[in-house]
Amino acid sequence: MAVVALTSARGAPGVTTTALAMAMLWPRPVVLVEADVAGSSSILAGYLRGTVPPDRGLVSLAVAHRRGVLDEKFYDQTIALIENRVRLVPGLVNAQQAASMDKLWSPLSIVLANLERTGTDVIVDAGRLGMRHGPMPLLRSADAVLLVTRTTLPAVSSARARVNVLREDLVELGQGDDTLAMLLIGEGQPYRAREIHSALGVPVLASMAWDQAASDSLSVGAPYGRRFAAAPLFRSTRVVIGAVHELIDRHRTRLAPAAESLMEEHTYG
């Protein structure tokens, strides 16, 4: 495993909640990166209910990059969500800071990819597609890119308007469109996976359960109760994680012959 990026075609389909749920259940150590340039860390203000000061995160990483110490200072700008197994890079405090990210995204993508060597994976909350100063280099370098959408007609229509541009970008500048898949929030409300696949021409990876109570516990820190771990949201998250592993395995299997061919050319050419 390595880097998984989640994004959306329109506002508030559940990207941050899904990314946080995946990080909490991820089978290996993982870093969750809030790369939504819309501003305000949703996790600091929501899940952590403002108990952690916004004094670490992307802006400090941009400063570290300008000073040439991005690698060395990366972990200094993370906070522990679940001991050291799940760590968070908090996002921007406000949208005005987004312009300072333009020179950070590409070098940060290299740092994130290299974390796999240390046994650590990465989940990126990339926010909405098409945002100015957005983190496209993080999507291009990801091993899996999940386009998150509700299953309503407006949501599917927005996804269709964006998905071809994203797919072309991944083919021309990224690792290929076999990293791309749809992740549905609340399948059957009203459209189902088969219908959405037919409309968008992109494979549907899986579906997250529509679970308002558990979502509120992650997005605004609302109390849930003792059966939190058994919530439908988390049951479906486990299915999503398994499907992500399969997607990345298929992608890397495709890349393996090309890598071997390049190695042979370098050795014998």
Side-chain angles (χ1 to χ4, degrees):
M1 293 296 294
V3 180
V4 180
L6 285 73
T7 187
S8 70
R10 62 183 285 141
V15 172
T16 301
T17 299
T18 301
L20 178 55
M22 289 176 63
M24 293 174 74
L25 296 179
W26 202 255
R28 300 198 333 159
V30 65
V31 174
L32 173 58
V33 180
E34 282 191 297
D36 185 350
V37 295
S40 180
S41 168
S42 299
I43 295 176
L44 291 186
Y47 178 67
L48 296 175
R49 291 179 287 184
T51 58
V52 176
D55 56 0
R56 283 172 282 181
L58 287 178
V59 173
S60 295
L61 287 179
V63 173
H65 171 59
R66 289 198 297 269
R67 295 175 177 172
V69 291
L70 179 59
D71 282 293
E72 299 95 311
K73 297 297 183 180
F74 176 78
Y75 273 107
D76 292 345
Q77 298 307 318
T78 67
I79 63 172
L81 287 180
I82 302 177
E83 298 176 341
N84 277 324
R85 187 181 68 79
V86 181
R87 301 195 67 85
L88 170 71
V89 177
L92 306 180
V93 174
N94 58 67
Q96 286 70 36
Q97 297 171 324
S100 64
M101 297 295 103
D102 285 341
K103 294 182 180 179
L104 173 66
W105 296 132
S106 291
L108 180 60
S109 71
I110 297 172
V111 172
L112 298 180
N114 287 339
L115 290 180
E116 186 177 15
R117 300 175 184 173
T118 69
T120 300
D121 297 321
V122 178
I123 297 173
V124 177
D125 172 2
R128 190 170 46 148
L129 284 170
M131 295 287 286
R132 189 180 181 191
H133 310 299
M136 278 306 302
L138 302 188
L139 274 68
R140 292 166 185 154
S141 63
D143 298 277
V145 178
L146 308 183
L147 182 57
V148 182
T149 183
R150 296 282 306 279
T151 62
T152 64
L153 181 57
V156 174
S157 179
S158 294
R160 182 164 56 183
R162 290 283 187 182
V163 71
N164 287 333
V165 174
L166 175 59
R167 180 162 42 197
E168 291 171 4
D169 188 280
L170 294 175
V171 169
E172 294 177 9
L173 301 172
Q175 296 202 58
D177 63 352
D178 64 333
T179 62
L180 176 62
M182 303 299 301
L183 179 57
L184 308 184
I185 305 295
E187 183 182 4
Q189 299 180 3
Y191 296 106
R192 305 202 65 82
R194 178 175 54 81
E195 297 169 297
I196 294 173
H197 178 204
S198 177
L200 273 61
V202 174
V204 173
L205 181 80
S207 179
M208 294 285 287
W210 180 255
D211 183 354
Q212 191 65 54
S215 296
D216 286 348
S217 71
L218 296 184
S219 60
V220 297
Y224 186 86
R226 289 184 293 179
R227 294 186 58 80
F228 185 59
L233 174 70
F234 287 113
R235 292 201 301 269
S236 60
T237 298
R238 294 183 179 93
V239 174
V240 170
I241 290 173
V244 168
H245 278 75
E246 293 175 2
L247 175 65
I248 292 177
D249 286 344
R250 290 194 298 270
H251 167 66
R252 292 191 168 181
T253 298
R254 179 185 68 81
L255 292 182
E260 292 173 2
S261 176
L262 286 174
M263 187 174 296
E264 290 176 1
E265 289 179 10
H266 178 75
T267 302
Y268 300 107

